[in-house]
Amino acid sequence: MRFSELGLRAAINDAVDALGYVEPTPIQEKAIPLILDGCDIIGSAQTGTGKTAAFSLPILSRLGPNGPGPRCLVLEPTRELAQQTYDNFLKFARYTQLRVGLIYGGVGYGPQREALARGVDVVVATPGRLLDHLGQGTLRLDRTKFVVLDEADRMLDMGFLPDVRRILLKCPKERQTLLFSATIPPALETLCAWALHDPVKVEIGARRAPAETVRHVLYPVALAQKQALLLALLEQIHWESVILFCRTKRSADEVVNVLKRAHHKAAVIHSDRSQKERQQALEGFKSGYYEVLVATDVAARGLDIADVSHVINYEVPEHPEDYVHRIGRTGRAQASGDAFTLMTAGDAPHVAGIERFISKKVDRVKLEGFDYQYTALFDEQRLGSLADRKTRGVRLGKGYFYGPARKR
Ligand code: ADP
Ligand code: MG
């Protein structure tokens, strides 16, 4: 399937070409024709599967020439996501005359007011600041034909649903409403029933297999040696950029401090950091100033941070889907990547869950030259290989091999 077969208008297809997209992703292939047909949609697919283009391309295709507006409203839960979606709209609209506006909180009103006064066809906004503009009369939504509720699960988590309802009440009833989300929890079903009209559900199942281009391994280690092993890994392997995942905000803060003390350029994003701090961390990482970005799963959700050379799971994720999702941040676009997961004895059940989910055993490796303390995990491995020997009478190895330590 090619983009040109989906029915988008030429100016939009040209922009897609210019971006180097060759094939639509599964959610795009399914959702774009339906949106072009005027259907309301509930689209769910994992993060990173191209949901932004799935709604913005057909909307831009159908907006036609400039008009009094805005005629399309896109709501996003956070400032970073609003910025990211806005950037996408600009790229997709480059061969049209359509004007796109960006509205979010934490910055002055002046420039936003001026942009709105000049006129916009599409507004990408976070709910709070949008309500302020509606209250001040600097924006009206009575010509809105398309409403997108993007990253709706996150909007729910952040307590934005009442704001979203208030905003929707200001939009015409005659409109096309599209809701996109990585997951559709029950609380969202209620919103869908209220806000959408005969929606078509487009669901793309979670990918269970990590990309072939990612080499992923487990590093069993005693709890007390986790930090030391992390620093040794960073010392020994050849890496360019790393996303390091933690399960909690607290451990993310701890790890970033450990890294900084070891003179690594590291930044952290999680939900207790201010928008400004998160923005700064993200931009610094994308520009290459920070070499390591420490993140929690929630903070990283939806953010388009790809093409890192290494993903390190400092903590094993609780949900197997998060594992696939985390390690998918590397090895994109045919480039290969490495994903390392530090594992302590307490993580064994979660690792087993991951291995069941991806139907594959993940190799255990040791870092060469690291002075390992004993952990029960090493026994378990030896038992495993002994059992193999008994039943098959072949495998003799130690059960471990040394990790992919390419020296700098
Ligand atoms: P989601 O909203 O599902 O998390 P995004 O819309 O942020 O995902 O897209 C993730 C990344 O995939 C972006 O960098 C985007 O440019 C890229 N992308 C989207 N669609 C395609 C495509 N058809 N071909 C190649 N890359 C794509
Ligand atoms: Mg998205």
Side-chain angles (χ1 to χ4, degrees):
M1 185 56 126
R2 301 189 67 85
F3 273 99
S4 50
E5 296 166 52
L6 292 174
L8 297 165
R9 70 184 161 107
I12 306 301
N13 274 329
D14 291 347
V16 168
D17 270 351
L19 286 172
Y21 293 4
V22 180
E23 286 179 353
T25 65
I27 186 92
Q28 292 163 0
E29 189 175 325
K30 285 199 178 165
I32 291 175
L34 290 165
I35 299 172
L36 288 173
D37 271 352
C39 297
D40 279 11
I41 294 269
I42 300 173
S44 61
Q46 252 183 306
T47 304
T49 51
K51 293 189 288 296
T52 318
F55 60 79
S56 47
L57 296 174
I59 290 175
L60 287 168
S61 198
R62 285 186 53 207
L63 275 179
N66 294 118
R71 289 169 296 144
C72 169
L73 169 67
V74 181
L75 288 178
E76 296 284 344
T78 65
R79 173 172 156 169
E80 295 101 314
L81 287 167
Q83 179 77 50
Q84 191 173 294
T85 302
Y86 169 79
D87 293 341
N88 272 295
F89 263 95
L90 288 186
K91 287 183 197 153
F92 298 146
R94 66 207 279 184
Y95 301 123
T96 72
Q97 302 298 313
L98 295 164
R99 299 152 306 172
V100 189
L102 174 61
I103 301 287
Y104 54 61
V107 294
Y109 283 82
Q112 295 182 358
R113 253 189 229 128
E114 285 158 27
L116 292 173
R118 280 196 300 275
V120 285
D121 298 288
V122 176
V123 168
V124 180
T126 53
R129 178 57 70 93
L130 187 85
L131 279 169
D132 290 349
H133 281 285
L134 290 171
Q136 294 172 10
T138 37
L139 173 70
R140 297 172 60 106
L141 294 174
D142 50 0
R143 290 180 186 269
T144 309
K145 293 199 156 40
F146 299 94
V147 175
V148 181
L149 308 176
D150 191 27
E151 308 284 347
D153 49 358
R154 184 91 188 270
M155 218 108 73
L156 170 75
D157 291 348
M158 296 178 66
F160 281 146
L161 290 202
D163 283 355
V164 170
R165 277 171 192 270
R166 240 174 279 149
I167 292 166
L168 287 172
L169 288 169
K170 307 264 186 199
C171 297
K173 274 220 162 77
E174 275 293 302
R175 61 164 197 256
Q176 189 173 349
T177 312
L178 313 171
L179 181 140
F180 282 85
S181 196
T183 58
I184 311 284
L188 274 186
E189 307 264 0
T190 323
L191 175 76
C192 290
W194 177 78
L196 280 72
H197 183 73
D198 280 344
V200 182
K201 279 196 181 167
V202 181
E203 198 178 343
I204 308 292
R207 206 172 64 175
R208 295 175 80 96
E212 304 272 301
T213 48
V214 182
R215 288 179 297 263
H216 53 118
V217 293
L218 290 162
Y219 280 90
V221 65
L223 190 59
Q225 281 194 306
K226 258 181 124 172
Q227 293 184 354
L229 179 64
L230 172 67
L231 294 177
L233 264 170
L234 291 174
E235 198 57 47
Q236 278 204 30
I237 58 172
H238 174 74
W239 54 277
E240 279 144 37
S241 55
V242 177
I243 296 192
L244 193 146
F245 283 101
C246 291
R247 243 197 246 170
T248 64
K249 299 171 205 170
R250 225 181 103 195
S251 66
D253 281 335
E254 259 171 44
V255 173
V256 80
N257 287 330
V258 168
L259 292 172
K260 283 182 184 164
R261 277 201 296 276
H263 306 290
H264 288 293
K265 286 208 159 60
V268 62
I269 50 169
H270 59 59
S271 53
D272 278 356
R273 311 282 294 179
S274 72
Q275 284 287 352
K276 199 170 166 191
E277 290 166 325
R278 284 154 56 171
Q279 184 88 359
Q280 196 256 343
L282 203 60
E283 276 166 12
F285 184 66
K286 284 187 178 174
S287 74
Y289 177 76
Y290 293 120
E291 306 166 317
V292 185
L293 184 68
V294 179
T296 56
D297 290 300
V298 177
R301 207 192 298 168
L303 287 179
D304 183 21
I305 318 167
D307 292 335
V308 295
S309 71
H310 288 75
V311 168
I312 298 181
N313 294 317
Y314 189 71
E315 283 153 329
V316 176
E318 212 170 328
H319 307 292
E321 313 87 74
D322 283 338
Y323 180 78
V324 177
H325 181 189
R326 283 179 180 188
I327 72 173
R329 301 279 183 169
T330 184
R332 292 219 182 173
Q334 314 308 317
S336 62
D338 288 294
F340 302 152
T341 301
L342 272 51
M343 171 193 189
T344 60
D347 295 322
H350 288 122
V351 168
I354 289 166
E355 292 180 322
R356 268 197 305 279
F357 184 75
I358 63 174
S359 314
K360 199 172 164 251
K361 192 133 174 84
V362 184
D363 287 326
R364 273 76 171 156
V365 300
K366 277 182 167 178
L367 183 67
E368 205 161 351
F370 184 74
D371 191 12
Y372 278 98
Q373 278 173 20
Y374 167 83
T375 152
L377 285 170
F378 298 150
D379 283 352
E380 192 185 281
Q381 191 65 26
R382 210 172 305 131
L383 284 177
S385 52
L386 275 177
D388 280 351
R389 248 160 76 186
K390 264 193 219 140
T391 50
R392 285 190 261 139
V394 274
R395 202 171 143 199
L396 283 162
K398 273 202 300 173
Y400 275 95
F401 62 88
Y402 282 102
R406 286 168 283 149
K407 290 247 198 253
R408 274 204 233 216

